[in-house]
């Protein structure tokens, strides 16, 4: 009985350690700070930002009416 | 149930994972303890272990599903990081462009300002253009006819006074500068009016100094006192001229002997 209970305690400690390890791993996992829906929203925002900024740059590129003298 | 779903949806995946993990820990421990106890004692309620086991399996399944979601989110996270880098790059490009545009604006603004100034001075020159002929004529008149001193036989009332007279000085640019706030008359006088030593009748009533104190003007009044400042070495002839030219009897030149 004593031996059993010791074994049980040991197993429980092991389990606790494992769970703790899992917790740490989860804490270190990237990109799970938000829910999938929120993340998708953020992703969409970022894509939109890149698209807008690309458009803006493209617009100014095509607008360029004079050559900028290269600094020598 | 809907509210729980809503809060679950709002909760981050990490929180949910940790929550399920907590459940797993509690359930596993309970199960282990229960199994350990069951060796020596009878179970308090038969079937409770299977219930816990079922819960454990259910939580485990949930955990696995969440792990899948977390892995997907990890991939999305990578993509987002790439996009963030891209955004940063574009931001730098835009800032660079903005800097260049600002520089261009500055250069253009300077150029435009200088061009405007040039146009202004061109316009001014055009508006105030005087024929060189007229200037030469005026210069000639000044130098040729009693410009420096009055004729020897000058008497009060003789219009052939030295040029320019007090009135003419005041109607010129210098005189106008001293009377700027009330000045509305062009500084140029026709050569004829200057030559004759009088002003056109149209202009005469508008001159501000006529009603105000004479000493306000930029130039001192053409009085004998001015000649008194001359060094006392001058000859008699000049003295006579001065005496003759001066309309003021308080001339100090006669005291110099």
């Amino acid at each position: 009985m004593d031996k059993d209970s010791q074994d049980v305690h040991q197993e429980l400690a092991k389990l606790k350690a494992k769970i703790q390890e899992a917790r740490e791993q989860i804490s270190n996992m990237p990109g799970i700070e938000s829910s999938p829906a929120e993340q998708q929203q953020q992703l969409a925002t970022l894509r939109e930002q890149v698209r807008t900024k690309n458009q803006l740059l493209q617009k100014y590129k095509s607008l360029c009416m004079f050559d900028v003298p290269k600094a020598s | 149930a809907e509210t729980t779903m809503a809060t679950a949806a709002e909760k981050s995946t990490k929180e949910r994972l940790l929550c399920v993990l907590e459940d797993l820990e509690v359930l596993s421990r309970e199960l282990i303890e229960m199994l350990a106890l069951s060796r020596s004692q009878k179970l308090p309620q038969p079937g409770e272990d299977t219930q816990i086991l079922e819960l454990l399996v259910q939580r485990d399944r949930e955990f696995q599903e969440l792990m899948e979601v977390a892995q997907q989110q990890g991939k999305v996270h990578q993509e987002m990081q790439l996009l963030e880098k891209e955004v940063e790059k574009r931001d730098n490009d835009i800032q660079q462009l903005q800097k260049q545009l600002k520089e261009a604006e500055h250069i253009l603004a300077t150029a435009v300002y200088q061009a405007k100034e040039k146009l202004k001075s061109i316009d001014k020159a055009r508006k105030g253009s005087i024929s060189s002929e007229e200037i030469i004529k005026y210069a000639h008149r000044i130098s040729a006819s009693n410009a420096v001193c009055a004729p020897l036989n000058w008497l009060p009332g003789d219009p052939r006074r030295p040029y320019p007279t007090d009135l003419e000085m005041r109607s010129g640019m210098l005189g106008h500068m001293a009377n700027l706030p009330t000045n509305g008359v062009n500084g140029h006088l026709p050569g004829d009016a200057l030559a004759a030593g009088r002003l056109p009748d149209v202009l005469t009533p508008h001159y501000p100094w006529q009603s105000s104190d004479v000493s306000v003007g930029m130039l001192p009044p053409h009085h004998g006192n001015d000649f008194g400042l001359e060094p006392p070495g001058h000859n008699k002839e000049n003295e006579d001229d001065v005496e003759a030219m001066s309309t003021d009897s308080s001339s100090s030149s006669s005291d110099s002997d």
Side-chain angles (χ1 to χ4, degrees):
Chain A
M1 167 62 200
D2 260 356
K3 192 178 170 281
D4 272 358
S5 119
Q6 234 179 4
D7 280 352
V8 168
H9 274 282
Q10 229 172 1
E11 286 305 310
L12 280 176
K14 267 191 211 167
L15 178 73
K16 200 178 174 184
K18 283 248 175 198
I19 297 275
Q20 191 52 39
E21 204 182 318
R23 256 194 207 107
E24 274 160 26
Q25 280 188 8
I26 287 169
S27 295
N28 290 329
M29 277 176 89
I32 54 167
E33 304 289 344
S34 51
S35 71
E38 280 171 346
Q39 200 189 26
Q40 283 303 320
Q41 215 168 348
Q42 287 165 7
L43 182 68
T45 311
L46 270 175
R47 278 190 181 139
E48 180 63 22
Q49 267 187 30
V50 173
R51 199 181 62 84
T52 314
K53 283 173 194 207
N54 272 339
Q55 253 181 4
L56 185 75
L57 283 169
Q58 204 57 44
K59 186 178 151 195
Y60 278 109
K61 236 186 208 173
S62 59
L63 256 182
C64 199
M65 292 169 280
F66 31 75
D67 293 324
V68 180
K70 289 251 158 79
S72 51
Chain B
E2 253 178 60
T3 13
T4 359
M5 283 284 280
T7 37
E10 275 170 32
K11 263 188 183 173
S12 75
T13 311
K14 185 185 270 182
E15 273 178 85
R16 287 173 71 195
L17 268 171
L18 290 173
C19 198
V20 175
L21 193 66
E22 183 107 17
D23 284 357
L24 279 175
E25 189 185 10
V26 171
L27 288 168
S28 319
R29 184 180 292 181
E30 224 170 295
L31 195 67
I32 290 171
E33 278 172 356
M34 198 174 280
L35 289 173
L37 279 174
S38 69
R39 285 198 174 182
S40 53
Q41 298 165 13
K42 250 201 134 188
L43 282 169
Q45 272 185 356
E48 203 180 341
D49 51 349
T50 44
Q51 213 178 333
I52 288 172
L53 198 61
E54 265 170 33
L55 263 175
L56 193 63
V57 170
Q58 190 200 325
R59 280 286 182 275
D60 183 60
R61 203 181 303 132
E62 238 173 274
F63 189 75
Q64 300 292 339
E65 279 169 13
L66 275 173
M67 270 311 217
E68 288 266 319
V69 171
Q71 273 182 337
Q72 282 299 319
Q73 280 190 271
K75 279 182 197 163
V76 173
H77 182 71
Q78 270 189 333
E79 196 185 339
M80 279 171 72
Q81 275 183 325
L82 286 177
L83 282 173
E84 266 165 19
K85 267 186 199 162
E86 187 112 348
V87 167
E88 208 178 310
K89 221 173 106 188
R90 293 287 172 273
D91 275 346
N92 281 340
D93 286 352
I94 288 168
Q95 263 172 5
Q96 192 75 21
L97 185 68
Q98 191 185 23
K99 213 177 120 195
Q100 283 178 358
L101 285 173
K102 277 243 154 106
E103 271 172 36
E105 188 198 13
H106 185 250
I107 292 168
L108 285 175
T110 314
V112 166
Y113 175 77
Q114 281 172 353
K116 270 186 184 163
E117 286 295 305
K118 204 156 265 183
L119 281 175
K120 240 191 254 172
S121 57
I122 288 170
D123 201 42
K124 200 175 157 192
R126 255 188 208 145
K127 270 184 188 159
S129 67
I130 306 168
S131 69
S132 52
E133 203 183 319
E134 197 173 327
I135 295 173
I136 291 165
K137 213 157 68 180
Y138 184 47
H140 188 69
R141 268 171 185 158
I142 289 176
S143 61
S145 54
N146 311 316
V148 186
C149 60
L152 288 174
N153 54 352
W154 186 86
L155 287 167
D158 189 342
R160 297 173 302 154
R161 295 187 55 155
Y163 282 97
T165 61
D166 191 29
L167 198 65
E168 283 153 2
M169 278 307 281
R170 283 172 187 286
S171 65
M173 276 300 228
L174 288 172
H176 278 241
M177 275 159 74
N179 293 301
L180 265 183
T182 47
N183 177 26
V185 190
N186 194 315
H188 300 289
L189 277 176
D192 287 348
L194 286 164
R198 59 178 164 76
L199 292 168
D201 289 340
V202 198
L203 297 176
T204 314
H206 302 298
Y207 287 110
W209 67 79
Q210 289 182 328
S211 56
S212 62
D213 190 355
V214 220
S215 61
V216 172
M218 206 168 149
L219 294 166
H222 189 185
H223 279 173
N225 280 341
D226 301 320
F227 293 92
L229 294 170
E230 276 181 22
H234 55 287
N235 56 39
K236 187 84 179 78
E237 192 179 304
N238 276 348
E239 217 177 287
D240 282 341
D241 283 341
V242 168
E243 196 67 49
M245 278 161 63
S246 173
T247 51
D248 196 330
S249 58
S250 70
S251 171
S252 58
S253 57
S254 51
D255 302 331
S256 63
D257 284 331

